[in-house]
Amino acid sequence: MDLIKSQQSRIEQALLFAIEAHAGQVYRGYAGREDEPYIMHVLRVAANVHRDAVIVAILHDCLEDANRLPDWLTPEEYDAVKLVSRDKERVSYEEYILNIANAPGPSGRLARLVKLSDLTDHLVNGPPPSLRPRYERAFMLLRLSAQ
């Protein structure tokens, strides 16, 4: 029971952190969701991953969007969030996806689960036409690497 309570507390802490990190942000460029609070995307991504990946899913855009993460993450969670965060100035999208696809160990597994859920949410919600092909390619590559 304490383990379940502890995990619930960590999820609640992650949610509070993400809500603060994404305050005022909206989901842009997606038909019908232009003014939706960005945290809704985060919640959809988190709702569609295995329970082991929920905290990473909740925090998956905090490093990119707010340049910070909570200090209580496990090493595996921290590494997974770093994997799903892209420095757009230094890393191409293709290299970013390959890094996730080829990442070893528990962090790599968590990152693949979260990125697949992230891509699914983007694809289901009608991405800008210019982004759809690269999201579809990334999804297929990550699906193959997750097996």
Side-chain angles (χ1 to χ4, degrees), residues 5-125:
K5 194 170 190 174
S6 171
Q7 181 69 356
Q8 179 179 348
S9 174
R10 293 181 78 243
I11 290 170
E12 290 168 354
Q13 289 175 43
L15 282 168
L16 291 172
F17 189 92
I19 288 168
E20 182 181 315
H22 297 297
Q25 293 178 350
V26 294
Y27 199 60
R28 297 188 195 281
Y30 291 78
R33 296 194 183 269
E34 292 88 0
D35 296 320
E36 177 181 86
Y38 194 79
I39 196 69
M40 298 306 294
H41 163 69
V42 171
L43 294 173
R44 289 190 301 270
V45 171
N48 290 301
V49 296
H50 185 274
R51 68 178 173 261
D52 295 344
V54 169
I55 288 171
V56 174
I58 291 168
L59 300 171
H60 82 274
D61 280 333
C62 287
L63 200 53
E64 279 183 26
D65 294 347
N67 201 30
R68 60 195 170 108
L69 289 173
D71 60 6
W72 47 262
L73 294 175
T74 66
E76 292 81 13
E77 291 166 341
Y78 180 81
D79 289 346
V81 174
K82 286 198 62 135
L83 278 167
V84 297
S85 302
R86 178 168 76 111
D87 181 345
K88 295 173 183 157
E89 302 287 319
R90 296 186 178 158
V91 179
S92 72
Y93 189 77
E94 293 74 21
E95 183 181 354
Y96 161 69
I97 293 299
L98 285 171
N99 287 341
I100 295 170
N102 296 319
S107 296
R109 181 178 133 321
L110 291 172
R112 283 185 289 281
L113 290 171
V114 170
K115 191 61 187 175
L116 281 166
S117 183
D118 181 50
L119 287 166
T120 298
D121 187 63
H122 288 317
L123 288 166
V124 165
N125 286 297

